[in-house]
Amino acid sequence: MYNFDVETPGTVADAVAAIGRDEAQALGGGQTLIPTLKQRLASPSVLVSLSGIAEMKGVCMGDDGRLCIGGATTHATVAREAAQYPALAAMASHIGDPAVRNRGTIGGSLANNDPSACYPAGVLGSGATVVTNTREIASDEYFQGMFDTALEEGEIITEVRFPIPEAANYQKFVQPASRFALVGVFVAKFSGGVRVAVTGASEEGVFRWSEAEAALSSDFSTGAIDGLSLSGEGMISDLHGTGAYRAHLVGVMTKRAVDAAA
Amino acid sequence: MTKIEMNVNGRAASGEVEGRTLLSSFLRDELRLTGTHVGCDTSQCGACVVHVNGEAVKSCTMLAVEAAGSEVTTVEGMANADGSLSVIQQAFQDHHGLQCGFCTPGMVMSAAALLKENPKPSEAEVRDYLEGNICRCTGYHNIVKAIMAASGQDVAPVAAE
Ligand SMILES: Cc1cc2nc3c(=O)[nH]c(=O)nc-3n(C[C@H](O)[C@H](O)[C@H](O)COP(=O)(O)OP(=O)(O)OC[C@H]3O[C@@H](n4cnc5c(N)ncnc54)[C@H](O)[C@@H]3O)c2cc1C
Ligand code: FES
Ligand code: FES
């Protein structure tokens, strides 16, 4: 690792000021960034740690009935405290392993937008809103492709707001070596319709499977997606699975999620 | 260089570190607490697990400065005050939960974190909790058995495979 300085601001305002300086970068739980620094794939001169900012931590219910999660809240805290949204808590409880969950944060996961990460599916599947120090970003605008998001340079995710569906479930087919999702599907049924978000599969990162959404919105049962299939075109192909295999898994995981949610 | 202080295994500890100094390096190189092992340094193996303010973390994936002011427990802090082995450590010995012993410090720290959260875990819960702790020798079976035994449960049904 190249050397860097570490700053530990106590407020969002101080963190924004520190990150605004040249070659500074936010440090969440470090579960992605520290391995990246070790490989010298990033070389910030200052890391601005967000883990001491109390206003960015914790889970609460907003007045509008949405579940609010601070941007620096760990996966372990969400697993323990997001009881009002059990499918989301269950998803968080299966990210990586216990030590990763004690450090890794929702903001770090969303800022990174790994194509195999779990939170992007939970956020897009729920139609959640990503709140930053400057604005609110709808999940449909937030994810812009593999490792790409709507975040501007120096923008910090301070909170994520989740509308709570009538029923929801996340099914993850674990890639056993990395413990990320080989394919993961988040299904959420709202009074206005069903959302289906898929991670791990597409070369474009997390996406909504619109055919399944339409079918499930008129009939929320596994039978509704029986005839549907996705093409392996544009799907990730690597030593863990071909694009066609991943495309097939999307259907299987979607059915399992519907089954578990219904 | 930054001067940091923390409480390690009940004692005050301090040292000068760089921003990039990992907690694992601070414990091993600065405090000479070499019980914490570094197996992969890529956040995969769990040999470096310690507790920071009671929570299990991979010390190779946390900066030393981030642990400043914390209570840190390493495997050196697990034995009883009189030097005898703790219940978990003794169970690892009794049930052959180690062979080369490289993964053992991380296994013991993860086991302690699990039993604090869940004092009577099922076999499946133990296996699930150890997802981030890799062992190249034992095949895990006797590690699981040792942790079940340390929780005071009958391990006769956890038959050898
Ligand atoms: C062994 C292992 C297994 C894992 N398994 C899974 C898994 O199954 N599923 C899964 O989803 N993830 C998994 N992860 C990744 C884990 O969830 C990480 O915690 C997460 O991807 C990054 O979060 P972090 O808080 O650690 O961020 P960091 O590593 O600190 O930062 C990542 C990036 O986000 C930026 N950043 C951090 N916080 C913010 C913020 N609030 N606002 C703006 N930018 C920010 C940083 O500058 C950096 O670019 C795994 C990681 C490991 C090591
Ligand atoms: S040395 Fe830290 S996880 Fe392997
Ligand atoms: S006993 Fe050798 S790695 Fe576990």
Side-chain angles (χ1 to χ4, degrees):
Chain A
M1 255 193 291
Y2 296 112
N3 200 17
F4 45 76
D5 291 328
V6 181
E7 292 197 23
T8 50
T11 65
V12 170
D14 287 350
V16 169
I19 293 169
R21 272 179 243 131
D22 247 9
E23 295 185 29
Q25 189 174 355
L27 173 66
Q31 301 303 291
T32 296
L33 185 53
I34 292 178
T36 307
L37 292 168
K38 287 182 183 178
Q39 295 178 59
R40 296 190 165 180
L41 294 175
S43 52
S45 49
V46 181
L47 284 189
V48 181
S49 167
L50 305 176
S51 55
I53 303 176
E55 58 185 308
M56 278 178 64
K57 286 190 191 180
V59 179
C60 68
M61 283 304 291
D63 296 336
D64 56 3
R66 288 193 293 179
L67 182 80
C68 304
I69 302 180
T73 308
T74 62
H75 309 326
T77 301
V78 173
R80 241 181 351 249
E81 296 180 14
Q84 292 91 344
Y85 193 169
L88 191 75
M91 187 202 81
S93 75
H94 287 98
I95 294 176
D97 55 62
V100 167
R101 295 194 286 272
N102 282 337
R103 295 292 301 163
T105 66
I106 184 170
S109 177
L110 293 175
N112 194 48
N113 193 19
D114 188 296
S116 303
C118 302
Y119 263 120
V123 167
L124 187 63
S126 306
T129 304
V130 178
V131 182
T132 74
N133 55 303
T134 55
R135 58 191 169 135
E136 297 188 6
I137 311 170
S139 60
D140 286 320
E141 270 86 62
Y142 179 82
F143 300 100
Q144 304 203 336
M146 213 184 244
F147 296 110
D148 198 9
T149 71
L151 290 179
E152 304 281 352
E153 197 70 27
E155 197 171 357
I156 301 179
I157 299 173
T158 52
E159 192 175 279
V160 186
R161 298 195 189 128
F162 293 86
I164 298 182
E166 291 165 1
N169 189 261
Y170 177 63
Q171 289 288 325
K172 173 182 180 182
F173 191 95
V174 178
Q175 198 270 78
S178 74
R179 296 184 285 280
F180 276 75
L182 186 67
V183 166
V185 177
F186 198 99
V187 171
K189 177 177 183 284
F190 292 91
S191 56
V194 175
R195 292 176 70 103
V196 178
V198 180
T199 190
S202 168
E203 286 172 347
E204 302 293 310
V206 68
F207 71 94
R208 285 173 67 185
W209 186 13
S210 40
E211 291 83 4
E213 290 185 350
L216 289 167
S217 294
S218 48
D219 171 18
F220 194 69
S221 74
T222 53
I225 38 180
D226 262 343
L228 299 182
S229 67
L230 275 167
S231 136
E233 196 96 348
M235 295 287 174
I236 301 169
S237 239
D238 58 20
L239 80 164
H240 306 294
T242 61
Y245 179 63
R246 280 185 164 86
H248 175 71
L249 269 185
V250 173
V252 175
M253 292 295 118
T254 304
K255 280 190 188 169
R256 286 189 192 168
V258 170
D259 225 7
Chain B
M1 299 287 269
T2 314
K3 183 162 170 33
I4 57 166
E5 295 177 12
M6 62 184 80
N7 185 304
V8 180
N9 300 330
R11 283 193 218 109
S14 63
E16 295 267 330
V17 297
E18 291 185 315
R20 64 178 163 184
T21 306
L22 299 169
L23 178 58
S24 52
S25 317
F26 180 68
L27 293 169
R28 289 179 52 85
D29 304 340
E30 186 80 19
L31 303 184
R32 308 303 296 166
L33 293 171
T34 53
T36 297
H37 288 171
V38 176
C40 64
D41 213 20
T42 56
S43 319
Q44 308 288 328
C45 77
C48 65
V49 168
V50 302
H51 297 181
V52 175
N53 294 329
E55 290 189 334
V57 304
K58 292 177 179 172
S59 62
C60 79
T61 315
M62 179 169 184
L63 302 174
V65 288
E66 292 183 284
S70 305
E71 305 267 334
V72 176
T73 308
T74 70
V75 73
E76 287 92 342
M78 293 308 282
N80 300 319
D82 65 0
S84 61
L85 295 180
S86 67
V87 172
I88 294 173
Q89 290 170 311
Q90 190 59 54
F92 268 71
Q93 191 182 82
D94 293 345
H95 296 276
H96 307 286
L98 62 151
Q99 288 180 21
C100 80
F102 194 87
C103 69
T104 313
M107 290 290 179
V108 168
M109 300 315 289
S110 285
L114 165 64
L115 296 186
K116 199 171 66 159
E117 239 173 68
N118 182 357
K120 293 259 182 278
S122 66
E123 184 181 338
E125 286 170 336
V126 174
R127 290 186 186 276
D128 190 50
Y129 201 88
L130 294 183
E131 206 174 347
N133 290 86
I134 294 172
C135 175
R136 291 297 302 266
C137 305
T138 62
Y140 302 97
H141 196 72
N142 287 347
I143 294 175
V144 175
K145 205 169 167 182
I147 296 171
M148 300 287 289
S151 71
Q153 303 184 78
D154 177 15
V155 291
V158 187
E161 270 164 14

